[in-house]
Amino acid sequence: MTAQTIASSADDETWVELGLIDGFAEGCVKQAQLPNGFPIAVYRVGGKFYVTSDRCTHGAASLSDEGELNGHVIECAWHYGTFDIRTGAALTLPCRATLPTFTTRIEGDQLLVNAKPNRRHRHQQGE
Ligand code: FES
């Protein structure tokens, strides 16, 4: 699924449409792409939506394809590292670097994501 840009008013205000909110099942993760091709993982947990990079920060594993979601924690299938999808924080080794996260919003029945990663999650934890 490739997202469509619907508004771009400033550097930090590029919102892209991910699809109908009903297309995202509760407790599931779905892969999507930003217009620039960057792979993202879209989660619906507790009726709320979260978006992270789809690539594990330890390797190149796809979290949406191979990860296992338990509550707000996604476990990478390759080496079982885990992340909190709300903050991107790496919770379990061998993952150390924070997973980039993106802000979501709902407009009507559509789920939107800000194409710019959240600044606070660009920080990389020390090795
Ligand atoms: S690639 Fe994800 S834990 Fe190693």
Side-chain angles (χ1 to χ4, degrees):
M1 173 171 61
T2 301
Q4 299 293 314
T5 301
I6 63 161
S8 182
S9 57
D11 273 357
D12 59 351
E13 290 292 330
T14 300
W15 292 91
V16 295
E17 200 170 82
L18 293 176
L20 294 171
I21 57 175
D22 287 347
F24 298 90
E26 173 64 31
C28 292
V29 53
K30 193 170 180 180
Q31 189 178 68
Q33 283 188 336
L34 295 176
N36 66 4
F38 188 85
I40 54 175
V42 184
Y43 313 83
R44 183 174 188 169
V45 177
K48 295 185 177 178
F49 294 92
Y50 306 91
V51 174
T52 70
S53 166
D54 188 43
R55 293 289 177 262
C56 179
T57 60
H58 177 247
S62 164
L63 296 173
S64 62
D65 278 349
E66 303 176 272
E68 184 170 326
L69 184 63
N70 291 300
H72 293 101
V73 176
I74 185 80
E75 181 182 70
C76 178
W78 284 16
H79 310 102
Y80 310 111
T82 60
F83 301 92
D84 187 321
I85 63 170
R86 296 168 293 188
T87 63
L91 302 175
T92 307
L93 293 173
C95 299
R96 295 174 185 267
T98 301
L99 194 62
T101 62
F102 300 79
T103 300
T104 62
R105 83 171 195 230
I106 294 171
E107 202 168 278
D109 57 1
Q110 293 285 331
L111 177 62
L112 309 178
V113 64
N114 191 324
K116 192 169 182 179
N118 292 322
R119 189 180 303 270
R120 67 184 182 278
H121 301 314
R122 291 183 199 152
H123 168 73
Q124 299 286 302
Q125 294 181 347
E127 293 279 322

